[in-house]
Amino acid sequence: MKNVQNGDFKLAPLTRAPLDRQDEVSVLNRNFFTMVERINELIAENYKKQLMLKETEFKALQAQINPHFLYNTLESINWLAKTNRQPQISTKRLGSQTGFCSTPSTQRNMYSLNRHGSIR
């Protein structure tokens, strides 16, 4: 009982009272072991649920992050194509067609910098 009191829920298999003994101490001993076994089951169940919750949270974050990176990659390709004067590549990008971003770059004002760093 001292071990359980200190948080150690591992029970030695030989310390359980035999079923044929019906005195108060033996009944108390068996009930105590049943209680500790149930506590171990609940701890394991809680651990599994917490693990599933963390996995679900991780998958939800992945679902949010992956489209973001895909959109950024497509936008990089788009601007690289525009820089290299490849309009056929630039017009094939998926960002504005699939709704990755609520305001595609085609709707934004475009500015360029001259070689002195001022905006044209």
Side-chain angles (χ1 to χ4, degrees), residues 91-104:
T91 57
K92 296 291 182 191
R93 69 188 173 85
L94 297 174
S96 63
Q97 297 168 3
T98 57
F100 284 123
C101 184
S102 60
T103 57

Side-chain angles (χ1 to χ4, degrees), residues 21-52:
R21 294 186 56 188
Q22 294 300 322
D23 59 285
E24 290 176 357
V25 173
S26 297
V27 171
L28 179 64
N29 174 277
R30 284 191 301 273
N31 288 338
F32 176 77
F33 273 82
T34 303
M35 177 190 71
V36 172
E37 287 170 350
R38 180 67 179 138
I39 289 172
N40 283 329
E41 289 171 7
L42 291 171
I43 289 172
E45 183 180 321
N46 187 40
Y47 177 77
K48 288 177 186 174
K49 286 182 181 179
Q50 291 296 322
L51 190 60
M52 284 176 44

Side-chain angles (χ1 to χ4, degrees), residues 50-66:
Q50 291 296 322
L51 190 60
M52 284 176 44
L53 180 65
K54 292 291 180 191
E55 287 175 8
T56 303
E57 289 173 355
F58 180 71
K59 287 179 182 179
L61 284 174
Q62 273 185 321
Q64 292 173 3
I65 291 171
N66 288 341

Side-chain angles (χ1 to χ4, degrees), residues 98-113:
T98 57
F100 284 123
C101 184
S102 60
T103 57
S105 64
T106 55
Q107 296 175 358
R108 296 184 197 131
N109 293 329
M110 288 199 280
Y111 300 98
S112 62
L113 296 176

